Amino acid sequence: MSETLSFPGLGLEFTLNRVAFSIGPLTVYWYGVIIALAFLAGITYVLLRVKHFGLDGDRVIDVILGGAIGSIIGARLYFVIFSWDQFRDNLWDIFNIRQGGIAIYGGIIGGFLAGLLMCRLRRVKALPMLDLAVGGLILGQAIGRWGNFVNIEAFGGNTSLPWGMTSPSIVNFLDANRTNLAGINMAVDPSMPVHPTFFYESVWCLLGFLFIAWYTRRRRFDGELLLIYSAWYGLGRAVIEGLRTDSLLIGTIRVSQLLAILCVIASVVIWGAVRSRINRSGDPEYLRLYVDTDEGQMILAGTFYQKKKKASDAPAQEAPETEEAPEAQEASEAQEAPETQEEPETPGENGKEQKPNDNE
């Protein structure tokens, strides 16, 4: 399964093998290894930053694991929906994910929805959690794109730039899809090098990660990092997707490019609207970060969820006392009866009975 990937303008050649190693009948691919490393890097970053968002590390891990499952399902469903012709005659292939066929935007959507569900189940504030997660996500994307390098996939159209690349599988793909690519106004020459679009996206995501990591301490409201991620990644993806030769299509429209553009517009509009409200309020406490609230500080101190647990256990602890209430009440009434008789009524200035003060 080895193949030579060449960068003629740079004088570089790499012999790549998709298989990392085998254990008996089980074959482990480099793509899976790289994705696993990307996931570990992302979750490590999240756990290192969790205290900056006022969240509990154990519950954050639960949300991430749930989001990871949702992202796998979403990535596959997204690809299947927009490549239905490949699966309509053999539905079992939908579940054969080892043969490839996932889409990052589907993974983001699936992870987002599953993450929100887990936040609700584990009582984790959603916006701070999403702000925290996008830093690890975009770092994972920067690393994970190198799985496309090993598989020699996710490349673009022809280029004369010095970092253009070529390989036998690239030549075969361009030759087989020349007509389809012409339908979306992309003329290709199989003998020419192509854009390494996986590399472009990896660098773009790495820059986005560095910015998010730097801006974390400077964010003004919960949800701001989510908007920055959506706009940053969407902007890069909209441009890079226009270069790719393997886009999922609706007619002649590149689905991920359209979605990326919508994400950029929505994120910029929402960010501008929230910032405008903050500026108009003139109140530094308006939309205060969750980590700065009493609840966020209690979570960091490890007392918030303990308090919730004690509150939920309180009715069970008070139940035995309810059975003794009649006897206790009788004893109390017997003790208080003489005192009640001895208390004279206190007249007011006009000879009327003086009412107690409610403010006391």
Side-chain angles (χ1 to χ4, degrees):
M1 300 180 67
S2 297
E3 184 176 353
T4 300
L5 179 66
S6 304
F7 293 82
L10 301 176
L12 298 174
E13 286 189 355
F14 300 92
T15 300
L16 303 175
N17 191 328
R18 294 178 59 194
V19 177
F21 57 89
S22 298
I23 304 175
L26 178 64
T27 300
V28 178
Y29 293 91
W30 277 113
Y31 185 90
V33 172
I34 293 171
I35 293 299
L37 292 174
F39 178 77
L40 289 175
I43 199 171
T44 299
Y45 172 80
V46 166
L47 292 178
L48 290 174
R49 286 283 196 169
V50 69
K51 299 299 182 183
H52 296 291
F53 294 83
L55 301 175
D56 177 74
D58 292 337
R59 292 170 186 264
V60 164
I61 291 177
D62 293 341
V63 174
I64 291 175
L65 293 178
I69 295 172
S71 68
I72 294 172
I73 296 172
R76 184 60 169 175
L77 282 178
Y78 188 98
F79 182 84
V80 169
I81 290 170
F82 295 110
S83 305
W84 182 242
D85 290 342
Q86 298 181 28
F87 301 96
R88 67 171 63 196
D89 296 327
N90 192 348
L91 297 181
W92 286 110
D93 282 349
I94 294 174
F95 305 99
N96 190 11
I97 198 170
R98 283 176 59 83
Q99 295 300 315
I102 57 176
I104 184 62
Y105 257 129
I108 294 171
I109 295 170
F112 177 80
L113 295 177
L116 288 179
L117 176 61
M118 288 300 299
C119 283
R120 186 175 182 83
L121 293 176
R122 298 295 289 141
R123 293 186 300 174
V124 175
K125 282 290 184 180
L127 285 180
M129 180 67 229
L130 293 173
D131 273 351
L132 173 61
V134 294
L137 172 61
I138 199 168
L139 173 61
Q141 288 178 262
I143 297 171
R145 275 301 172 191
W146 285 91
N148 300 132
F149 169 74
V150 178
N151 282 357
I152 312 180
E153 60 188 5
F155 49 81
N158 295 131
T159 180
S160 58
L161 294 170
W163 51 79
M165 66 183 194
T166 187
S167 75
S169 63
I170 291 175
V171 171
N172 293 337
F173 178 88
L174 294 181
D175 189 52
N177 292 277
R178 187 182 300 190
T179 302
N180 293 335
L181 292 172
I184 55 173
N185 299 317
M186 178 176 280
V188 294
D189 180 355
S191 64
M192 292 286 293
V194 297
H195 285 284
T197 49
F198 75 88
F199 177 73
Y200 299 163
E201 187 164 326
S202 177
V203 172
W204 183 253
C205 287
L206 180 59
L207 293 174
F209 164 73
L210 293 175
F211 179 77
I212 287 175
W214 172 81
Y215 194 74
T216 292
R217 292 179 179 272
R218 297 163 177 81
R219 68 194 191 281
R220 176 58 181 83
F221 59 90
D222 291 319
E224 188 171 19
L225 296 183
L226 173 65
L227 295 175
I228 289 173
Y229 165 81
S230 181
W232 180 277
Y233 179 67
L235 180 61
R237 184 60 184 263
V239 175
I240 295 169
E241 189 70 20
L243 301 174
R244 286 179 58 163
T245 55
D246 60 346
S247 298
L248 299 174
L249 303 171
I250 298 179
T252 59
I253 298 174
R254 299 172 186 262
V255 179
S256 293
Q257 186 177 47
L258 175 62
L259 183 56
I261 293 171
L262 292 176
C263 285
V264 172
I265 295 172
S267 299
V268 171
V269 169
I270 294 172
W271 183 86
V274 175
R275 276 288 183 173
S276 177
R277 288 176 58 186
I278 291 173
N279 292 336
R280 288 200 307 270
S281 72
D283 181 5
E285 295 295 309
Y286 182 69
L287 294 182
R288 183 169 51 157
L289 292 174
Y290 180 68
V291 67
D292 296 328
T293 64
D294 292 340
E295 185 173 307
Q297 290 300 308
M298 288 176 65
I299 290 175
L300 294 182
T303 59
F304 177 75
Y305 293 109
Q306 291 179 2
K307 183 178 180 181
K308 289 283 187 180
K309 185 178 179 181
K310 289 179 180 178
S312 62
D313 292 344
Q317 295 174 356
E318 294 173 0
E321 299 177 5
T322 305
E323 296 177 358
E324 301 175 1
E327 298 177 1
Q329 184 176 1
E330 291 177 3
S332 176
E333 290 176 353
Q335 293 173 358
E336 293 178 359
E339 297 177 4
T340 305
Q341 294 174 359
E342 294 175 3
E343 290 183 1
E345 293 183 357
T346 305
E349 294 180 359
N350 297 324
K352 296 181 181 180
E353 181 181 354
Q354 190 174 20
K355 295 183 180 178
N357 189 345
D358 292 329
N359 293 330
E360 294 179 358

